[in-house]
């Protein structure tokens, strides 16, 4: 199977069978985001305990790339600390923009999003979930937890 086909398989699989679809109970952060160029919509909810993302869920609609990207992201970020998630986000966004693939992404399922960089109109679709995550991890967007 050609690599491009494999990437397409991964994206289609996540689109048809999205992981972590839904909503986190008592979410610490809720972010809604959309991509008007394609009509993609996303609502991301996270549970963050002691600086670690313990639960990530998303709801949304739109093209296969936007929804698959959110599904891939939700799987990858559960259980990792906020600074790590922010590093990962920057690496993925760079890859999507065609600015290089970090070593940690080479053998990661997330590299399925690499091919998007050849299609400028698709870059926004693939970035939607990651930009939402970046916003979600900004402390000013999280509910105060006293
Ligand atoms: Zn799209």
């Amino acid at each position: 199977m050609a690599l491009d086909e494999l990437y397409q398989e991964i994206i289609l699989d996540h689109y048809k069978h999205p992981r972590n679809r839904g909503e986190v109970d008592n979410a610490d952060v809720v972010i809604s985001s959309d991509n008007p160029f394609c009509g993609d919509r996303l609502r991301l909810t996270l549970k963050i305990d002691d600086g670690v993302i313990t639960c990530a869920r998303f709801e949304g609609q739109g093209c296969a790339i936007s929804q698959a990207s959110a599904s891939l992201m939700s799987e990858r970020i559960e259980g990792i600390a906020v600074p790590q998630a922010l590093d990962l986000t920057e690496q993925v966004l760079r890859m999507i923009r065609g600015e290089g693939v970090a070593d940690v992404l080479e053998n990661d399922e997330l590299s399925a999003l690499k091919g998007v960089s050849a299609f400028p109109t698709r870059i926004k679709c693939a970035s939607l979930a990651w930009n939402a995550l970046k916003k979600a991890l900004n402390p000013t967007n999280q509910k105060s937890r006293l």
Side-chain angles (χ1 to χ4, degrees), residues 49-67:
D49 291 309
D50 292 329
V52 174
I53 301 169
T54 51
C55 194
R57 295 286 181 272
F58 78 97
E59 285 173 339
Q61 53 193 40
C63 69
I65 289 173
S66 68
Q67 303 304 306

Side-chain angles (χ1 to χ4, degrees), residues 3-126:
L3 206 52
D4 281 356
E5 285 173 39
L6 174 68
Y7 289 157
Q8 280 183 12
E9 289 275 310
I10 292 172
I11 286 173
L12 277 178
D13 180 52
H14 276 265
Y15 176 57
K16 288 181 186 159
H17 311 286
R19 311 335 185 235
N20 300 313
R21 199 176 250 289
E23 189 171 333
V24 177
D25 289 334
N26 295 317
D28 292 302
V29 55
V30 179
I31 293 286
S32 292
S33 203
D34 66 346
N35 166 24
F37 298 96
C38 182
D40 308 319
R41 294 163 159 278
L42 198 68
R43 185 169 180 275
L44 176 67
T45 53
L46 300 178
K47 189 89 194 137
I48 300 174
D49 291 309
D50 292 329
V52 174
I53 301 169
T54 51
C55 194
R57 295 286 181 272
F58 78 97
E59 285 173 339
Q61 53 193 40
C63 69
I65 289 173
S66 68
Q67 303 304 306
S69 182
S71 174
L72 282 159
M73 181 188 79
S74 70
E75 260 195 338
R76 190 61 165 66
I77 62 173
E78 272 191 357
I80 70 175
V82 169
Q84 272 177 280
L86 284 168
D87 281 349
L88 180 70
T89 300
E90 289 308 323
Q91 285 162 347
V92 171
L93 286 172
R94 275 202 293 273
M95 177 180 72
I96 290 170
R97 290 193 299 256
E99 294 167 7
V101 182
D103 289 347
V104 289
L105 294 177
E106 280 292 352
N107 296 310
D108 195 293
E109 213 182 16
L110 288 172
S111 63
L113 298 169
K114 185 167 64 174
V116 168
S117 62
F119 305 93
T121 54
R122 291 305 195 180
I123 292 175
K124 285 192 170 66
C125 303

